[in-house]
Amino acid sequence: MASPEESGDSVEPVIDLKSDQFFMGEALREAQKAYLQEEVPVGAVIVHEERIIARAFNQVETLKDATAHAEMIALTQAQSALGDWRLSDCQLYVSKEPCPMCAGAIIHCRIQRVIFGCRDEKGGAAGGFINLLQQDTLNHCAEITPDILGEESAQLLRTFFEEARTKRKDRDLARGQDLGDFSYGSN
Amino acid sequence: MASPEESGDSVEPVIDLKSDQFFMGEALREAQKAYLQEEVPVGAVIVHEERIIARAFNQVETLKDATAHAEMIALTQAQSALGDWRLSDCQLYVSKEPCPMCAGAIIHCRIQRVIFGCRDEKGGAAGGFINLLQQDTLNHCAEITPDILGEESAQLLRTFFEEARTKRKDRDLARGQDLGDFSYGSN
């Protein structure tokens, strides 16, 4: 049988298992897990010598811990995997630009490069409202690659927040109804 | 027997168990524990309704986790104690000005006030190299009280780093000796 090349059919795109797009796809899978748990959908993976050594997603509400961002959990996992807090040969992939807390943690752990999906102009600390990853006064600087699967990452966040707003409205309406039942006379 | 007041003797100073100095003293006790474990001596406590609900010290080397700063551990403890990630009615006492990671975490947890000992002009994020605790673009602002037992906090850090330098020199010298033993002829 003729191969696709010989027959002139279009060739299936080969997935490069070492590309930024591939690893960001894995970070997005993590973000999806957050979405399914009704958490702000952000996911992260950490790569060492072209292999994923940590995967995590945002778990602020599940763990009742405002510091439980995807990046923080992934950093702790990676440190545990390598038995060292120095992650100098590691790359961190995260679906949204890191906040100041996570950027600070990334610098403490000496991550070599940070690759992120969508930008956060208001709260981002990798060039959004500030760039903490490249400050001469701090102990370490990390390379930055923005906008990898940025639109997919942003779309997941938009969907989450739109649904959250709708749910909140419905809940407020339902509560108003309940209050009406119990607080007769108060119109 | 005459009371000190009646006899004219000096009266022992009363320790105000609700003062910034008292709680910072407790943060310094934590810093001392770090010092005894050969960790950079920084300690923190978190106070809610005038009671300490979290105590922690820097454990970066012990836990092999570069994010294990005193403030981060204390925040997680306090969130666990209150069963909520919102620490809006809490005050955080820390012996050294928080770094960007910790300042970011403090803002996420909505700490009401941050009281710190000594300043960190190079890496501090509560007015040192940047003020992340009072940024209009972020979701929350915290009050700041600097310089509480600042000299005591700074002295402990100075002692630690001086001793660390001496130890490193001794170790390097000992290693040189060893190398000398094994690398004769390399002169």
Side-chain angles (χ1 to χ4, degrees), chain B residues 133-170:
Chain B
L133 296 180
Q134 296 171 331
Q135 287 285 338
D136 290 339
T137 51
L138 301 181
N139 286 333
H140 173 76
C141 278
E143 294 171 39
I144 302 174
T145 306
D147 301 325
I148 303 295
L149 304 187
E151 187 40 41
E152 290 84 339
S153 303
Q155 186 54 50
L156 186 59
L157 284 160
R158 271 196 297 268
T159 305
F160 172 81
F161 284 113
E162 274 162 23
E163 288 177 1
R165 268 191 295 272
T166 308
K167 275 180 203 159
R168 206 178 308 138
K169 261 189 209 163
D170 292 350

Side-chain angles (χ1 to χ4, degrees), chain B residues 13 19 22 25 29 42 60 67-68 71 74 78 87 102-103 108-109 120 131 152 164 177:
Chain B
S19 69
F22 171 73
R29 275 167 176 268
V42 178
V60 166
T67 72
E71 300 96 309
L87 304 176
C102 294
H108 285 314
C109 299
D120 180 357
N131 185 351
E152 290 84 339
Q177 206 83 39

Side-chain angles (χ1 to χ4, degrees), chain A residues 85-113:
Chain A
W85 57 258
R86 295 164 196 83
L87 303 176
S88 324
D89 298 323
C90 294
Q91 296 81 45
L92 182 144
Y93 292 78
V94 58
S95 57
K96 191 187 74 65
E97 182 178 345
C99 72
M101 172 183 71
C102 294
I106 286 165
I107 290 303
H108 285 314
C109 299
R110 303 187 191 167
I111 287 279
Q112 181 251 331
R113 188 163 66 104

Side-chain angles (χ1 to χ4, degrees), chain A residues 173-187:
Chain A
L173 275 173
R175 267 195 199 143
Q177 205 82 38
D178 283 353
L179 274 176
D181 291 341
F182 287 104
S183 59
Y184 46 81
S186 66
N187 263 346

Side-chain angles (χ1 to χ4, degrees), chain B residues 4-5 22 31 47 57 69 84 91 96 133 145 158 171 180:
Chain B
E5 284 88 346
F22 171 73
V47 173
F57 57 91
H69 283 197
D84 195 344
Q91 294 81 45
K96 190 187 75 64
L133 296 180
T145 306
R158 271 196 297 268
R171 206 162 43 221

